[in-house]
Amino acid sequence: MQAEETKPIVLEAAILEHLDAKSARFSCRITSLNNEEVKEHGIILYSGIFPNVKEEQVSIGGKVEIGKISYNYTPSLPFEIGKNYMVAFYVQSEKSFYRSGLISFKWNNVQVNPQNDLSATAGETITITGNFEGIDEKFIITDWNTSATTPFTLSGDKKSLSFVVPKTTIPHGSILNFNLSKRTTEGGNEFSTIALCRVKILATISPLERSQLHLSDAIPLKGNNLPNIYEIPADLMLIIGDQKIRYQNPLRLTSIEGLKGNNLKIGYSNGRDEIIFPEPIQLIIPNKNDIRFNEKVVHPGSQLRLQGLEFAKFFNYGSTSFKVGGAPLTQAINPFPYNLDIIVPQVADGHHAVEIISPFYNGIVSTEKIEVKALKLSGPSQVNAHVGSTIQIKGSFINGKIYEVHIGGHTIYNIIPQNGEISFEVPNLKSGKNEVKISYRHESWDSHFSTSPFTVFVEKSTITSVSPLVAYAGDVITVTGRGLNTGSSYTLGGHYINVVNKTADGFKFLIPSGFQKGKARLTIEINDDIIQSEDYIEVK
């Protein structure tokens, strides 16, 4: 008599032996049975993702034996691509319900040859090869950076898939990962997305809206996927003339060293493509006929203001130089939008044009000319004079300009000529020969001196007359002479006197009360010289 089996019914995990769109073959092994009467056995098929899981129980029959059991399953509708399925075998006895371990599976007849090193611009078409027979209307293309979907088309043989890179605001160099996903009404994508490609987004820059520009213009750049100005990628370059420079927006031509010419090709390189715009930048050329001067006549070394142009629009002063009469000079000083100040170099006397030399224009030479004349003195080279005397000097002075006279350590300021002549008073100097220098200044306060020699011989002060020669205490005495106003002391007979109405040609004083009666001479001490009147004053 056979012994009664007491172990429970044991089913090994289910096995998937075959899968296509319309059928699947499953198997399982039963390793033990008890004495329970088997009422039914079959498979349980689960589909979907929690919590939207559907369950289908399919009965195979009642009788079952230890060993392998198999079942060919045909779904009412073809398996959905990428959908999650699980299957287990079961045995229902009189006493209990037994189930094998689950096996999960997906049906997928989509194979992709992914591309991971692509670069593309917005609007560019990307084609991915593979087997796309299982694609239907529920599939979409998405990327990880945006929530937008991207339309696609399949080739007739379904061996390739194409889509257009969408327009986005992400900056140049950003990465978009495009994936194939299936749209479903069951709570989202029901399977892991299929990676299609990894794309580096490249910027595109549009041609300029205006091609005729001033050198100083800030040029705004427009396009797609332009970078943030604070994070400029190294592979995005602007092409200006014969140079490539790091991307900047707005573009400022004055910031580009070595740039030259007024017809400049312009374009860009985004690391893959090099694009040159059909229209170059054409710089607006300054009109030389508009250049005017604030003065008609100047000395070498003087400041000259150029007017008539909005100079700041046309010139980059770091790369601009100047010539007057062919002689070079330093760069401009005090550049203003509508004015330009230069220092006139040492050139021969005559009428000269001003040339502005810029790498962006062929020589700009003013139509108007400036008269340049050196400061030269005319007339005698020496004048004899007393202290306080007025001296007139003729020369190539410019009316309205300010000059200075330097003599014996003294400087006389703010002398303005009239009719080509200046005048000044001889300061308090010792008698003798004194060299005179005449200068003019410009805004930097450098002094420029005349080249002609000129001297003043200061003669010793003299008393020519004293009147009256007979006086009483309290009487007014009048003294005349030359150079009498700079005395350090005035005495009569050794007694100090107070003088009034003092000029270079004379003065007056009172006979002091109580003055000793008698005759006395007038004595004046001037610059270490002692002079006395020839006549005596008799005080009664």
Side-chain angles (χ1 to χ4, degrees):
M1 183 177 176
Q2 186 176 2
E4 183 177 345
E5 189 173 356
T6 59
K7 293 188 297 182
I9 296 175
V10 177
L11 295 85
E12 291 183 348
I15 296 173
L16 175 66
E17 293 184 344
H18 169 78
L19 178 66
D20 60 37
K22 297 180 180 181
S23 67
R25 182 177 179 81
F26 309 109
S27 66
C28 177
R29 293 189 65 83
I30 298 178
T31 59
S32 69
L33 291 169
N34 56 23
N35 290 326
E36 298 178 55
E37 180 181 351
V38 174
K39 298 179 65 176
E40 182 184 343
H41 75 285
I43 65 169
I44 302 173
L45 184 71
Y46 303 93
S47 61
I49 298 176
F50 181 83
N52 300 309
V53 178
K54 293 182 179 181
E55 180 180 324
E56 179 185 0
Q57 184 171 323
V58 181
S59 176
I60 298 174
K63 186 178 179 180
V64 67
E65 296 180 354
I66 292 176
K68 179 179 178 182
I69 57 175
S70 300
Y71 179 68
N72 290 319
Y73 172 76
T74 300
S76 58
L77 294 173
F79 290 117
E80 294 185 41
I81 293 175
K83 192 171 185 178
N84 289 307
Y85 295 92
M86 293 184 293
V87 69
F89 281 83
Y90 74 90
V91 173
Q92 175 72 61
S93 72
E94 292 179 341
K95 295 181 179 181
S96 186
F97 184 86
Y98 301 91
R99 185 169 52 185
S100 71
L102 288 165
I103 184 172
S104 61
F105 66 94
K106 291 181 182 180
W107 165 243
N108 185 3
N109 66 341
V110 177
Q111 288 82 40
V112 175
N113 299 322
Q115 302 288 322
N116 292 321
D117 295 304
L118 296 180
S119 297
T121 60
E124 190 171 328
T125 298
I126 292 178
T127 299
I128 304 297
T129 60
N131 175 19
F132 300 102
E133 292 180 2
I135 296 296
D136 58 27
E137 71 280 356
K138 293 183 180 181
F139 279 84
I140 58 173
I141 290 180
T142 60
D143 66 79
W144 292 351
N145 293 69
T146 69
S147 59
T149 60
T150 302
F152 65 90
T153 58
L154 292 176
S155 62
D157 60 3
K158 295 192 176 182
K159 298 297 183 184
S160 65
L161 175 151
S162 300
F163 65 94
V164 175
V165 177
K167 287 187 177 182
T168 64
T169 58
I170 61 176
H172 170 92
S174 299
I175 301 298
L176 289 182
N177 293 280
F178 290 96
N179 305 287
L180 193 60
S181 303
K182 187 172 183 180
R183 193 189 305 276
T184 177
T185 59
E186 300 180 83
N189 294 331
E190 291 195 344
F191 64 101
S192 300
T193 55
I194 302 173
L196 291 177
C197 55
R198 181 178 183 273
V199 180
K200 176 184 176 182
I201 298 300
L202 303 178
T204 57
I205 301 176
S206 304
L208 303 185
E209 295 178 352
R210 288 191 306 122
S211 59
Q212 291 194 337
L213 301 163
H214 288 98
L215 177 64
S216 66
D217 286 343
I219 306 171
L221 300 178
K222 298 181 179 180
N224 292 319
N225 305 110
L226 300 181
N228 185 306
I229 61 172
Y230 301 106
E231 297 178 4
I232 306 301
D235 61 346
L236 184 58
M237 308 290 287
L238 299 177
I239 300 170
I240 312 293
D242 58 358
Q243 295 193 53
K244 282 187 176 182
I245 64 167
R246 196 87 171 262
Y247 172 85
Q248 57 176 259
N249 194 2
L251 169 63
R252 297 184 184 275
L253 300 178
T254 53
S255 69
I256 306 173
E257 292 187 13
L259 197 62
K260 57 185 178 181
N262 51 60
N263 193 294
L264 303 166
K265 72 177 182 181
I266 179 169
Y268 67 95
S269 171
N270 59 17
R272 187 193 69 177
D273 307 320
E274 187 167 295
I275 307 297
I276 302 299
F277 299 148
E279 295 223 13
I281 291 175
Q282 294 180 330
L283 293 181
I284 299 170
I285 299 174
N287 187 347
K288 64 182 181 180
N289 297 323
D290 291 337
I291 300 175
R292 297 286 183 266
F293 308 125
N294 68 324
E295 298 183 58
K296 300 297 182 184
V297 185
V298 293
H299 294 311
S302 295
Q303 178 175 302
L304 176 65
R305 174 160 291 179
L306 280 59
Q307 300 172 322
L309 281 176
E310 194 170 352
F311 291 92
K313 282 188 173 182
F314 297 98
F315 299 103
N316 176 12
Y317 298 116
S319 62
T320 305
S321 59
F322 306 84
K323 287 184 179 180
V324 176
L329 47 82
T330 57
Q331 69 178 37
I333 62 172
N334 300 330
F336 298 103
Y338 291 93
N339 299 318
L340 182 64
D341 294 345
I342 62 173
I343 304 302
V344 178
Q346 297 293 328
V347 294
D349 288 3
H351 292 79
H352 302 287
V354 174
E355 180 180 2
I356 307 176
I357 303 161
S358 166
F360 300 101
Y361 320 102
N362 295 326
I364 305 297
V365 181
S366 66
T367 304
E368 186 172 295
K369 294 186 177 182
I370 185 73
E371 182 182 355
V372 181
K373 60 180 182 180
L375 177 56
K376 298 177 182 177
L377 308 182
S378 58
S381 60
Q382 178 172 314
V383 173
N384 294 344
H386 290 86
V387 171
S389 297
T390 298
I391 294 178
Q392 281 136 353
I393 303 175
K394 292 185 178 182
S396 56
F397 297 103
I398 299 172
N399 291 339
K401 193 168 183 67
I402 298 174
Y403 296 86
E404 297 172 355
V405 172
H406 309 267
I407 178 172
H410 295 261
T411 300
I412 305 168
Y413 298 98
N414 299 322
I415 301 175
I416 299 176
Q418 291 184 350
N419 300 320
E421 182 176 279
I422 65 170
S423 62
F424 66 95
E425 287 188 358
V426 177
N428 188 15
L429 297 172
K430 293 181 181 180
S431 57
K433 189 175 183 179
N434 290 272
E435 181 183 18
V436 175
K437 292 183 178 181
I438 300 173
S439 67
Y440 52 91
R441 295 185 179 188
H442 58 66
E443 291 298 322
S444 67
W445 291 100
D446 293 332
S447 294
H448 297 267
F449 295 90
S450 64
T451 56
S452 308
F454 186 77
T455 58
V456 171
F457 187 86
V458 179
E459 296 181 339
K460 188 175 180 179
S461 299
T462 60
I463 299 173
T464 56
S465 70
V466 179
S467 176
L469 293 179
V470 178
Y472 294 88
D475 286 350
V476 176
I477 306 298
T478 300
V479 181
T480 61
R482 302 293 301 276
L484 299 181
N485 62 329
T486 59
S488 58
S489 70
Y490 298 80
T491 58
L492 180 63
H495 298 277
Y496 288 102
I497 56 176
N498 294 320
V499 300
V500 295
N501 300 332
K502 183 167 60 174
T503 68
D505 297 327
F507 57 87
K508 295 181 179 182
F509 69 93
L510 295 174
I511 301 295
S513 61
F515 194 86
Q516 184 178 358
K517 296 179 179 180
K519 292 183 178 181
R521 295 173 69 183
L522 177 65
T523 303
I524 306 174
E525 187 174 339
I526 300 177
N527 291 321
D528 298 332
D529 288 332
I530 304 296
I531 62 172
Q532 285 187 319
S533 61
E534 293 183 359
D535 297 323
Y536 285 82
I537 298 174
E538 183 179 359
V539 179
K540 292 188 175 182

